[in-house]
């Protein structure tokens, strides 16, 4: 049996379900994506989001602003999108240029349209177990684990990385699945001694190959959230893939693992928002 958890396959299944639901909905969910500057990776992500929206029958608006856009100008754009009843989801692509304060921008987004789930209000809903928009990459990890019927209840899940985008929301989502959760990060002493205890290890730090085979228990489930472009142009994750696959019972590849799930969960959140206002 293949050990690969195929994010493209799971993603396609969920996108087909979304497409079906949209065709019966009577309105087109509308996502607005704002990008500031010309960062190549961000441009690619935004274009992929735009395309995914069209593939499932959503409306999608891409707002491209120059790198020198001021915080004030960006906030004005967000205000307009907040006020536009035809827009169901707003996403500001991160990272932003250094002169713009990320927290100010994220807090300016209408909570009800925050399909990224990054607004402090949404973070609060997640932390208190209330229904809201779950951050897309973290939600994608759970979706992929559920698809492959990985038992989470009672399992020891080790998250490597504590970002607001992935690591922290995963703590809550894994607790909701009744996993025992440990969080490791860049200051963790003897990382291997922690990861070796994991039934499920999720790596989201952005360092190519940081998780090596000696750090993984035989039969563990390994989820690689990293997306790193090497100087050679090759795209790799945070996991030393081939040797770790030898020991793992299941593993996500890069590309084709968690990556496609992020956009899929964004579509799911936008659909959820559109259904609320319908
Ligand atoms: N940049 C990298 N990942 C993300 C994401 O999930 N949402 C936004 N808005 N920006 C990102």
């Amino acid at each position: 049996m293949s050990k690969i958890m195929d994010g493209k396959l799971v993603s396609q299944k969920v996108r087909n379900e979304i497409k079906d639901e949209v065709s019966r909905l009577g309105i087109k969910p509308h996502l607005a994506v704002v990008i500031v500057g010309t960062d190549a990776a961000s441009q690619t992500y935004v274009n992929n989001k735009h395309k995914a929206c069209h593939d499932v029958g959503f409306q999608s608006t891409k707002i491209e602003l120059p790198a020198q856009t001021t915080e004030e100008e960006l906030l004005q754009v967000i205000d307009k999108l907040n006020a536009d009843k035809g827009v169901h989801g707003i996403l500001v692509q991160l990272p932003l240029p250094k002169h713009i304060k990320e927290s100010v921008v994220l807090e300016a987004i209408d909570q009800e349209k925050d399909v990224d789930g990054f607004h402090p209000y949404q973070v609060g809903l997640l932390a208190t177990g209330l229904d809201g928009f779950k951050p897309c990459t973290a939600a994608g990890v759970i979706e992929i684990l559920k698809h492959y019927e990985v038992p989470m209840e009672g399992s020891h899940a080790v998250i490597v990385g504590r970002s607001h985008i992935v690591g922290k929301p995963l703590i809550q989502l894994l607790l909701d699945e009744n996993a025992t959760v440990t969080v490791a990060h860049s200051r963790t002493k003897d990382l291997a001694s922690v990861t070796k205890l994991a039934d499920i290890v999720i790596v989201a730090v952005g360092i190519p190959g940081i998780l090596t085979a000696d750090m993984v228990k035989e039969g563990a489930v390994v989820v690689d959230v990293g997306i790193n472009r090497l100087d050679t142009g090759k795209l790799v994750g945070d996991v030393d893939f081939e040797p770790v696959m030898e020991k793992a019972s299941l593993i996500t590849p890069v590309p084709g693992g968690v990556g496609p799930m992020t956009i899929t969960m964004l579509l799911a959140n936008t659909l959820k928002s559109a259904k609320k206002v319908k």
Side-chain angles (χ1 to χ4, degrees), residues 45 49 91-95 116 118 136-137 165 262:
Y45 293 143
K49 285 166 188 171
L91 179 145
V92 177
Q93 185 66 28
L94 304 175
D116 250 334
F118 294 163
C136 304
T137 302
I165 295 183
T262 300

Side-chain angles (χ1 to χ4, degrees), residues 130-251:
L130 296 171
D131 187 40
F133 298 119
K134 297 181 172 69
C136 304
T137 302
V141 169
I142 300 295
E143 189 74 24
I144 220 168
L145 290 172
K146 281 190 174 165
H147 177 87
Y148 284 93
E149 297 178 352
V150 173
M152 285 183 267
E153 179 155 335
S155 291
H156 186 184
V158 173
I159 305 164
V160 186
R162 54 173 159 177
S163 69
H164 296 308
I165 295 183
V166 188
K168 284 182 185 166
L170 263 174
I171 299 170
Q172 196 61 50
L173 295 178
L174 287 161
L175 287 175
D176 289 348
E177 300 298 330
N178 298 313
T180 299
V181 183
T182 299
V183 187
H185 48 78
S186 56
R187 307 281 173 90
T188 298
K189 284 184 190 157
D190 193 2
L191 180 60
S193 70
V194 180
T195 55
K196 265 193 238 169
L197 301 173
D199 302 309
I200 303 167
V201 54
I202 301 164
V203 198
V205 284
I207 301 176
I210 188 175
L211 191 84
T212 48
D214 57 307
M215 299 167 74
V216 177
K217 183 167 79 174
E218 194 73 45
V221 173
V222 179
V223 180
D224 191 350
V225 182
I227 302 178
N228 311 290
R229 174 101 37 205
L230 299 181
D231 291 340
T232 58
K234 192 177 176 212
L235 210 57
V236 297
D238 291 351
V239 174
D240 188 15
F241 185 74
E242 299 289 343
V244 172
M245 184 166 69
E246 291 291 310
K247 277 179 101 174
S249 58
L250 285 168
I251 187 167

